[in-house]
């Protein structure tokens, strides 16, 4: 008899680095306290936070019952490296990669696991549940974060999602990204793909590259034309016109469609962005990532019985 998937089958992995320029990071760890019901295991990968911020992360994690994987690293922060290292410690069949700036409804993991169970994700492991992200403006983000009553916070968050559909663009929600780097998958599938490409350190396109590679493995969605082409960003005028089936963003939209239709989504809380940081000077908006998109990735073979 199939028992169904529960929170014991899931680990949430969040990579981060705290420093003087992002004081909100520690506060957003605190948002996990008494919020999600049910709440899965939370693993925070601290990729190179210097003292005293490393201890601040450990203290905040202890208050919300999270685990911390400390990694000594002085290079430019890399989401790819942080997630790969966190994934290496995951023992549960399912892994959910998210961001410290993302917040979902209180019952999110119940809904997510129910959807994964309906998909048979524990058996048909080559599927990815990628989520759309609603980027909230600073005023809405602040009102949600400052709200200490969980029921009122939940109502504010629910209203923000509604505004993302019905309110004028920029009012409450700056924009909706139809897909994101927030997703659920089976640990065997992530292992099979070889994980993220660490050569993307400081560039920011590791999510697009992995998504293309994952879809090549699964074959669930027909590959668009010119999959390495960046076109149709949610912040560009071309997003609102007729768009051909081309470029990796169209693939991302198709990948996240099932989550959107199932009502699964996350809110991205606003925060200041310092353009002086190295990442903003060297990311893939300013240089081509194409030379990195054909690298060899070691894979693990998986054998599974096929039930008639």
């Amino acid at each position: 008899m199939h028992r169904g998937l529960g929170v014991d089958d899931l680990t949430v992995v969040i990579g981060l680095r705290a420093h003087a320029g992002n004081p909100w990071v520690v506060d957003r760890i605190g948002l996990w306290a008494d919020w999600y019901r049910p709440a899965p295991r939370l693993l925070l990968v601290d990729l190179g936070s210097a003292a005293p911020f490393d201890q601040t992360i450990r203290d905040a994690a202890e208050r919300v019952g999270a685990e911390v994987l400390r990694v000594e690293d002085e290079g430019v922060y890399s989401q790819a490296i942080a997630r790969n290292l966190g994934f290496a410690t995951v023992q549960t069949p399912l892994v959910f990669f998210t961001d410290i700036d993302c917040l979902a409804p209180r019952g999110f993991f119940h809904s997510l696991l129910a959807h994964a169970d309906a998909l048979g994700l524990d058996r048909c492991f080559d599927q990815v549940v990628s989520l759309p992200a609603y980027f909230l403006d600073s005023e809405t983000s602040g009102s949600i974060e400052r709200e200490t009553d969980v029921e009122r916070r939940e109502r504010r968050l629910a209203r923000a999602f509604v505004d993302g559909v019905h309110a004028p663009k920029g009012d409450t929600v700056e924009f909706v990204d139809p897909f994101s780097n927030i997703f659920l998958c089976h640990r065997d599938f992530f292992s099979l793909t070889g994980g993220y490409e660490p050569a993307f350190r400081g560039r920011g396109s590791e999510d697009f590259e992995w998504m293309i590679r994952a879809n090549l493995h699964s074959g669930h969605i027909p590959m668009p034309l010119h999959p390495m082409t960046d076109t149709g960003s949610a912040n560009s005028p071309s997003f609102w016109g007729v768009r051909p089936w081309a470029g990796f963003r169209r693939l991302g939209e198709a990948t996240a469609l099932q989550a959107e239709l199932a009502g699964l989504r996350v809110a991205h809380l606003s925060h200041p962005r310092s353009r002086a940081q190295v990442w903003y000077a060297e990311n893939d908006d300013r240089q081509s990532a194409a030379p990195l998109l054909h690298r060899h990735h070691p894979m693990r073979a998986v054998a599974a019985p096929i039930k008639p």
Side-chain angles (χ1 to χ4, degrees), residues 211-283:
M211 176 185 63
I212 294 171
R213 192 155 29 91
N215 191 65
L216 287 171
H217 282 289
S218 69
H220 289 314
I221 300 172
M223 289 296 291
L225 298 172
H226 315 300
M228 290 188 295
T229 301
D230 185 0
T231 182
S233 165
N235 274 327
S236 70
S238 62
F239 181 80
W240 305 101
V242 176
R243 292 175 292 152
W245 182 241
F248 59 74
R249 293 187 185 275
R250 295 290 277 155
L251 176 62
E253 291 176 39
T255 302
L257 181 60
Q258 65 160 313
E260 180 76 65
L261 294 176
L264 298 168
R265 52 198 173 180
V266 294
H268 183 280
L269 301 175
S270 178
H271 58 77
R273 297 179 184 273
S274 172
R275 297 290 166 176
Q277 293 181 21
V278 174
W279 188 91
Y280 287 105
E282 299 182 359
N283 70 49

Side-chain angles (χ1 to χ4, degrees), residues 101-125:
D101 298 314
C102 289
L103 187 69
R106 292 196 76 198
F108 171 76
F109 288 108
H110 173 79
S111 301
L112 180 67
L113 287 163
H115 184 69
D117 194 51
L119 286 173
L121 192 55
D122 55 336
R123 304 178 301 281
C124 305
F125 67 90

Side-chain angles (χ1 to χ4, degrees), residues 181-234:
N181 200 12
I182 315 302
F183 65 91
L184 172 77
C185 70
H186 198 288
R187 69 179 313 278
D188 285 347
F189 184 60
F190 192 77
S191 178
L192 182 67
T193 66
Y196 285 109
E197 171 51 65
F200 281 91
R201 178 192 286 265
R203 303 174 70 101
S205 288
E206 69 274 354
D207 50 342
F208 303 129
E209 190 272 340
W210 184 84
M211 176 185 63
I212 294 171
R213 192 155 29 91
N215 191 65
L216 287 171
H217 282 289
S218 69
H220 289 314
I221 300 172
M223 289 296 291
L225 298 172
H226 315 300
M228 290 188 295
T229 301
D230 185 0
T231 182
S233 165

Side-chain angles (χ1 to χ4, degrees), residues 21-231:
N22 62 356
W24 61 86
V25 163
V26 174
D27 293 336
R28 289 179 180 176
I29 295 174
L31 289 178
W32 283 74
D34 299 322
W35 178 247
Y36 293 108
R37 290 292 183 268
R41 176 196 178 211
L42 173 60
L43 173 64
L44 302 176
V45 183
D46 177 7
L47 190 70
S49 296
F53 301 102
D54 55 345
Q55 184 61 51
T56 305
I57 288 176
R58 286 193 291 269
D59 292 342
E62 184 177 359
R63 289 193 291 270
V64 301
E67 301 173 41
V68 176
L69 173 63
R70 166 67 185 178
V71 180
E72 299 296 332
D73 189 297
E74 296 181 353
V76 178
Y77 178 75
S78 169
Q79 186 79 286
I81 293 173
R83 288 188 173 189
N84 281 348
L85 293 172
F87 170 77
T89 72
V90 171
Q91 299 298 316
T92 54
L94 303 183
V95 57
F96 181 68
F97 292 108
T98 186
D99 190 277
I100 196 60
D101 298 314
C102 289
L103 187 69
R106 292 196 76 198
F108 171 76
F109 288 108
H110 173 79
S111 301
L112 180 67
L113 287 163
H115 184 69
D117 194 51
L119 286 173
L121 192 55
D122 55 336
R123 304 178 301 281
C124 305
F125 67 90
D126 62 344
Q127 303 177 82
V128 176
V129 181
S130 175
L131 305 181
Y134 288 54
F135 282 71
L136 308 186
D137 64 17
S138 59
E139 181 179 352
T140 305
S141 298
S143 69
I144 290 173
E145 288 187 88
R146 290 190 297 270
E147 182 56 71
T148 57
D149 183 273
V150 292
E151 292 184 357
R152 286 197 293 266
R153 182 192 295 164
E154 187 168 27
R155 287 196 295 271
R156 287 176 186 263
L157 182 60
R159 179 66 197 188
F161 283 129
V162 170
D163 286 349
V165 177
H166 296 286
K169 184 176 184 293
D171 185 359
T172 303
V173 176
E174 294 178 347
F175 66 95
V176 178
D177 201 336
F179 71 99
S180 69
N181 200 12
I182 315 302
F183 65 91
L184 172 77
C185 70
H186 198 288
R187 69 179 313 278
D188 285 347
F189 184 60
F190 192 77
S191 178
L192 182 67
T193 66
Y196 285 109
E197 171 51 65
F200 281 91
R201 178 192 286 265
R203 303 174 70 101
S205 288
E206 69 274 354
D207 50 342
F208 303 129
E209 190 272 340
W210 184 84
M211 176 185 63
I212 294 171
R213 192 155 29 91
N215 191 65
L216 287 171
H217 282 289
S218 69
H220 289 314
I221 300 172
M223 289 296 291
L225 298 172
H226 315 300
M228 290 188 295
T229 301
D230 185 0
T231 182

